[in-house]
Amino acid sequence: MTGAERLRAHLATGLTNVCRCWRIDRRDGVRLGFTDHDRDLEFGGTLFRADTGMTARSLSQSTGLSVDNTEALGILSDPAVTEADIEAGRYDGAEVLSWLVNWRDVDEREMRFRGTIGEIARGGVAFRAELRGLAEALNRPVGRAYQPACDAVLGDAACG
């Protein structure tokens, strides 16, 4: 039985010991782990630190190719998350993974979200980060559209 199957069986009992864990992999190679549990947890080679002021709003998930977005809220109380790093753009495009975890047995876990950090807003000592799901990449226009109302002028370099 996989860890996710064991977690589902644990959830079916009605009496649960679950928390959320988030891992942020910045593009500069820095990896950070956070949890909303009251003590640190460790799995997959990452230490998920408690008491960091991190929380996440409910994740909107849907079927098909619609975009799953949410946001994370936090207070700049963890020394690993500095305002200078946010201002320098070190979290822009960072990969975010989120799990639902049985804190009594961290092998019982299920990934609930995978995506990237979008826009970050700061206010005082708090911040709000937009989390964009994997389908977000499909919303970006790629290439050029050729249509009757073309944006090029006939005969110029853009026309071809």
Side-chain angles (χ1 to χ4, degrees):
M1 191 182 287
T2 68
E5 291 169 334
R6 291 190 354 246
L7 177 66
R8 283 190 285 265
H10 172 71
L11 293 173
T13 66
L15 181 62
T16 62
N17 308 304
V18 294
C19 64
R20 288 182 176 79
C21 293
W22 300 272
R23 188 178 84 197
I24 298 174
D25 294 332
R26 294 186 344 196
R27 290 185 290 166
D28 61 0
V30 173
R31 176 174 283 177
L32 304 169
F34 306 97
T35 183
D36 59 4
H37 188 49
D38 59 359
R39 65 180 173 89
D40 294 350
L41 300 173
E42 187 172 358
F43 61 85
T46 302
L47 175 66
F48 296 87
R49 296 190 39 180
D51 300 325
T52 58
M54 288 284 292
T55 186
R57 293 192 173 174
S58 63
L59 175 63
S60 307
Q61 290 184 309
S62 55
T63 59
L65 294 176
S66 58
V67 179
D68 295 333
N69 288 342
T70 188
E71 60 184 19
L73 304 173
I75 299 172
L76 295 175
S77 62
D78 190 291
V81 181
T82 65
E83 190 163 355
D85 284 344
I86 292 172
E87 286 181 13
R90 292 188 179 98
Y91 290 93
D92 296 347
E95 183 179 31
V96 177
L97 296 97
S98 176
W99 292 268
L100 188 63
V101 180
N102 178 348
W103 51 264
R104 289 187 186 249
D105 181 1
V106 295
D107 289 333
E108 292 181 15
R109 64 181 181 270
E110 183 175 53
M111 186 178 296
R112 293 292 177 101
F113 178 81
R114 185 174 187 166
T116 58
I117 294 180
E119 295 181 29
I120 299 178
R122 291 178 308 281
V125 295
F127 69 91
R128 180 183 50 80
E130 177 188 34
L131 302 180
R132 298 176 177 167
L134 293 176
E136 175 70 26
L138 300 175
N139 280 338
R140 290 188 212 122
V142 178
R144 243 182 107 182
Y146 292 92
Q147 54 193 0
C150 185
D151 64 338
V153 176
L154 183 61
D156 71 2
C159 180

